């Protein structure tokens, strides 16, 4: 593992998410002669992955208007696709601002290629890859179980059923339209799953970059003047005056670095805050609806049951990664104040200590991210959302008794 950590590229987790987004048509290249063709590909990709499914699901709502049990049965996938479509719109409309964040994350200001911080850069890159893999695993199992529903029905001798409910202007039980529609739904939900996970991990990956930079800032603050004091013990000719001046310059660099991280996190907040809030709101409803649908099943088909349970786990993990990363950002920023105490401040100048106090005062207002400026991204929020989902589930369960 140590060898792998030395060879992996810093911020590789961001490149993984961007590659998926690019190849699925939602990251148009800048200043390219193929930009217009790529835009056409974007439209076709969106229609194939989400447009047709959303149209069929919305039409199905009107076709079953008044039958609440049927609407609740397919409302989960409708909300998931609606939020997914909203993310795509946000990504396309704010691509330049997101690209600026990526340029900062991969630029010299964030010490991406500084060997002194290689261990921190590798550690946080592996964290980003781990969350992407875990999140993708839940989603892949769920959509695979849905995608093979027509095959399992055929093997078990049951009536034909599409992977997802929807209204189509033709008889979907006939051959070959059933096979074509089922193939489209199966392929579309699998590819859309990879795309949706990539969109979420792009956001959490940027938060991971901010956490990594806070860890680098913490190390830099601790090391101020400590290295020079060790050198002075070995070399009595070391100029202490120049050392104090250098320490003050290092502190100024730390202050500039801290301000850059703050602006970086504020931009993440401004770009993604609203869509994260609607993601939390929809997932809260989706989790309780899935639990309700499972309790209402009269015939437990293994593929469908496994798909629903893993889909619920996927929706839960989707909330968790946002809350966990927001919580980590808060904890990392709090540690900056403690790092100030660990530096060699007591043997430095008054100007240095006053400046350090200012940084400590700023650190006592930790960096936080919120969903729609309503709820903080924290583990406490994650628990509250699960409690709310359970409360809605008990209300639905009680209404059917």
């Amino acid at each position: 593992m140590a060898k792998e950590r030395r060879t992996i590229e810093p911020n590789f987790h961001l490149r993984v998410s961007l590659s998926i987004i690019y190849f699925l048509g939602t990251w148009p290249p800048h200043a390219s002669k193929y930009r217009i063709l790529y835009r056409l590909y974007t439209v076709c990709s969106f229609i194939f992955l989400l447009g047709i499914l959303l149209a069929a699901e919305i039409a199905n709502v009107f076709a079953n208007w008044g039958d609440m049990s049927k609407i609740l049965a397919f409302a989960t996938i409708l909300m998931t696709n609606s939020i997914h479509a909203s993310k795509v719109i946000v990504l396309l409309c704010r691509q330049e601002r997101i690209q600026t964040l990526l340029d900062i994350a991969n630029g010299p200001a964030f010490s991406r290629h500084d060997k002194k911080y290689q261990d921190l850069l590798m550690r946080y890159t592996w964290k980003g890859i781990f969350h992407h893999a875990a999140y993708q695993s839940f989603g892949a199992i769920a959509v695979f179980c849905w995608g093979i529903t027509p095959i399992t029905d055929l093997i078990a001798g049951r009536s034909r059923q599409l992977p997802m409910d929807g209204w189509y202007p033709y008889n979907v039980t006939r051959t070959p339209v059933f096979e074509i529609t089922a193939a489209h739904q199966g392929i579309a939900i699998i590819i859309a799953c990879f795309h949706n996970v990539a969109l979420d991990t792009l956001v959490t990956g940027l938060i991971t970059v901010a956490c990594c930079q806070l860890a680098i800032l913490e190390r830099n603050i601790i090391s101020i003047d400590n290295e020079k004091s060790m050198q002075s013990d070995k070399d009595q000719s070391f100029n202490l005056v120049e050392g104090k001046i250098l320490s003050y310059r290092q502190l100024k660099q730390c202050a500039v670095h801290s301000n850059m991280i703050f602006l970086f996190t504020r931009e993440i907040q401004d770009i993604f805050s609203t869509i994260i809030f609607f993601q939390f709101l929809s997932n809260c409803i989706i989790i309780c609806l899935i639990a309700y649908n499972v309790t209402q099943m009269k015939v437990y088909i293994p593929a469908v049951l496994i798909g629903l349970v893993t889909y619920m786990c996927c929706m839960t993990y989707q909330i968790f990664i946002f809350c966990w990363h927001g919580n980590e950002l808060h904890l990392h920023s709090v540690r900056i104040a403690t790092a100030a105490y660990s530096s060699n401040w007591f043997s430095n100048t008054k100007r240095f200590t006053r400046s350090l106090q200012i940084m400590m005062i700023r650190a006592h207002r930790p960096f936080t991210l919120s969903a729609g400026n309503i709820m903080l991204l924290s583990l406490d929020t994650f628990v509250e959302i699960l409690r709310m989902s359970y409360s809605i589930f008990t209300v639905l369960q009680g209404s059917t008794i």
Side-chain angles (χ1 to χ4, degrees):
M1 181 62 72
K3 184 177 179 181
E4 291 178 348
R5 285 189 175 182
R6 287 196 300 269
T7 57
I8 191 173
E9 182 183 356
N11 297 339
F12 181 75
H13 58 293
L14 292 178
R15 198 173 75 175
V16 171
S17 299
L18 277 177
S19 298
I20 296 173
I21 294 170
Y22 172 78
F23 285 114
L24 293 181
T26 49
W27 191 258
H30 288 279
S32 173
K33 61 181 180 180
Y34 301 109
R35 185 175 175 84
I36 296 178
L37 291 176
Y38 189 91
R39 288 288 188 183
L40 180 62
Y41 171 58
T42 300
V43 174
C44 295
S45 176
F46 183 85
I47 293 174
F48 180 82
L49 296 180
L50 293 170
I52 296 175
L53 292 178
L54 278 173
E57 289 157 4
I58 293 173
N60 202 25
V61 171
F62 289 102
N64 293 280
W65 192 260
D67 191 341
M68 189 56 64
S69 61
K70 289 186 177 180
I71 293 177
L72 291 177
F74 60 81
T76 55
I77 193 65
L78 173 59
M79 286 189 289
T80 298
N81 288 337
S82 299
I83 296 297
H84 187 181
S86 302
K87 292 178 189 176
V88 173
I89 295 172
V90 169
L91 184 76
L92 293 174
C93 294
R94 301 178 180 177
Q95 183 185 3
E96 292 185 3
R97 296 173 64 184
I98 299 172
Q99 184 62 55
T100 301
L101 289 176
L102 294 169
D103 293 339
I104 295 172
N106 294 321
F110 274 12
S111 309
R112 181 184 176 219
H113 298 292
D114 197 328
K115 293 184 178 180
K116 185 168 61 173
Y117 311 115
Q118 199 74 2
D119 59 324
L120 291 175
L121 292 168
M122 294 302 98
R123 186 194 310 165
Y124 285 89
T125 298
W126 279 110
K127 283 184 179 180
I129 293 173
F130 168 78
H131 282 289
H132 188 122
Y135 184 13
Q136 189 67 76
S137 299
F138 286 121
I141 295 172
V143 297
F144 177 77
C145 291
W146 280 344
I148 65 172
T149 298
I151 300 175
T152 57
D153 289 341
L154 178 63
I155 295 174
R158 291 186 292 266
S159 60
R160 288 182 169 186
Q161 185 177 355
L162 293 172
M164 293 178 292
D165 291 331
W167 182 89
Y168 292 88
Y170 50 82
N171 187 356
V172 294
T173 60
R174 293 183 178 179
T175 301
V177 291
F178 172 80
E179 287 77 9
I180 296 174
T181 305
H184 165 259
Q185 286 192 355
I187 296 171
I189 60 174
I190 291 173
I191 299 177
C193 174
F194 283 91
H195 186 258
N196 199 6
V197 170
L199 291 176
D200 290 339
T201 52
L202 176 63
V203 181
T204 57
L206 290 171
I207 302 174
T208 299
V209 171
C211 292
C212 179
Q213 293 305 310
L214 285 170
I216 292 175
L217 176 62
E218 179 186 1
R219 177 180 293 185
N220 287 339
I221 294 174
I222 293 174
S223 64
I224 291 177
D225 203 43
N226 284 334
E227 296 177 359
K228 295 296 179 284
S229 63
M230 292 173 62
Q231 293 179 15
S232 62
D233 292 337
K234 298 178 181 179
D235 185 2
Q236 297 297 329
S237 62
F238 181 80
N239 193 326
L240 293 178
V241 176
E242 292 182 359
K244 303 305 179 186
I245 294 174
L246 179 60
S247 297
Y248 185 71
R249 288 176 180 173
Q250 290 175 337
L251 183 62
K252 287 176 64 177
Q253 292 175 354
C254 289
V256 172
H257 190 194
S258 176
N259 190 53
M260 289 186 63
I261 301 171
F262 174 76
L263 295 177
F264 187 83
T265 56
R266 287 303 93 190
E267 186 67 359
I268 295 174
Q269 167 81 24
D270 292 340
I271 295 174
F272 302 108
S273 173
T274 303
I275 195 64
I276 291 175
F277 171 74
F278 285 110
Q279 181 74 76
F280 282 9
L281 185 62
S282 65
N283 281 25
C284 176
I285 300 173
I286 288 171
I287 292 171
C288 72
L289 286 181
I290 294 174
Y292 175 77
N293 289 334
V294 170
T295 60
Q296 297 301 307
M297 290 178 65
K298 297 180 180 179
V299 179
Y300 288 95
I301 304 172
V304 176
L305 182 60
I306 295 173
L308 286 174
V309 172
T310 51
Y311 181 42
M312 183 169 62
C313 293
C314 183
M315 295 295 100
T316 305
Y317 197 83
Q318 188 174 39
I319 301 172
F320 173 76
I321 59 170
F322 284 113
C323 292
W324 187 86
H325 282 85
N327 196 72
E328 284 292 296
L329 181 69
H330 173 85
L331 295 177
H332 277 72
S333 61
V334 167
R335 291 210 302 262
I336 299 301
T338 307
Y341 285 109
S342 303
S343 66
N344 199 19
W345 58 271
F346 46 84
S347 62
N348 225 304
T349 61
K350 291 184 177 180
R351 182 177 67 166
F352 179 90
T353 55
R354 283 197 299 267
S355 301
L356 191 61
Q357 286 176 344
I358 294 174
M359 283 197 66
M360 291 173 64
I361 293 172
R362 174 64 187 85
H364 282 296
R365 291 184 298 165
F367 297 172
T368 58
L369 294 174
S370 64
N373 294 319
I374 296 175
M375 57 182 72
L376 293 177
L377 300 187
S378 65
L379 295 180
D380 290 337
T381 300
F382 173 69
V383 174
E384 289 300 322
I385 292 175
L386 293 185
R387 287 177 178 174
M388 188 181 301
S389 296
Y390 180 75
S391 299
I392 299 174
F393 167 73
T394 54
V395 171
L396 287 174
Q397 191 76 351
S399 63
T400 59
I401 297 176

